[in-house]
Amino acid sequence: MANKVSTKEYFKNYFKKCVTGPWSLLCGLSVSLRYFFNPKRIVTEQYPENRNTLKMHNRFRGRLAMVEDADGNNHCTACGMCERACPNASINVQATKNIAGKKVLGRYVYHFASCTQCGLCVEACPFGAIEMSQAFEVATTDVQSLEMILNKKEGQG
């Protein structure tokens, strides 16, 4: 059986809400009014107008990118640690051998459509060859553009 509230309790709660409701509304509006009269304190990013100068936080996880030196060479040795660490098989490391018979990276295929940006692959890489980039505008209608080959020079090592 449901608890029945007495009429006295009902009106007491009703008038209490009539007083506290407008007070909470005024508290919320005070923040808006302070920003209205002092617009220099506004912290909202004016996107997309500031697209060229916008910098994401250091811990932001965008899509995967290969770290390259000044000559355009990457540090990947095709060990496959990132591929094994990926929980949903978003990375495919295809190794090849160079002229000397040494194992080198052939193709580093990244499937962005299935990536969850967890960062486990970056943590697993013993050479620091990959990183999460600052790219945040990654929306597309072309599914083929979500499968990327990250290494620029294939078979180099």
Side-chain angles (χ1 to χ4, degrees), residues 54-122:
L54 185 63
K55 176 83 168 107
M56 299 303 289
H57 299 285
N58 292 335
R59 293 177 12 164
F60 176 77
R61 295 181 189 164
R63 66 176 188 84
L64 199 61
M66 303 254 349
V67 178
E68 296 178 347
D69 60 8
D71 298 330
N73 299 321
N74 56 39
H75 304 284
C76 184
T77 61
C79 66
M81 292 296 291
C82 55
E83 186 176 13
R84 286 189 287 279
C86 185
N88 50 358
S90 299
I91 298 171
N92 188 1
V93 179
Q94 299 170 356
T96 187
K97 292 189 178 189
N98 63 6
I99 297 171
K102 181 181 171 190
K103 177 179 155 183
V104 294
L105 176 66
R107 286 176 36 157
Y108 195 97
V109 183
Y110 174 53
H111 307 282
F112 184 60
S114 62
C115 182
T116 59
Q117 286 96 18
C118 63
L120 293 174
C121 54
V122 176

Side-chain angles (χ1 to χ4, degrees), residues 19-33:
V19 172
T20 58
W23 176 252
S24 67
L25 178 67
L26 289 174
C27 289
L29 283 176
S30 68
V31 174
S32 298
L33 289 173

Side-chain angles (χ1 to χ4, degrees), residues 121-133:
C121 54
V122 176
E123 293 175 19
C125 182
F127 303 103
I130 54 177
E131 67 182 2
M132 302 305 275
S133 71

Side-chain angles (χ1 to χ4, degrees), residues 139-156:
T140 183
T141 57
D142 183 22
V143 178
Q144 273 69 31
S145 68
L146 296 175
E147 185 173 304
M148 300 168 242
I149 298 174
L150 296 185
N151 59 322
K152 305 285 189 284
K153 300 176 181 179
E154 292 188 18
Q156 303 284 324

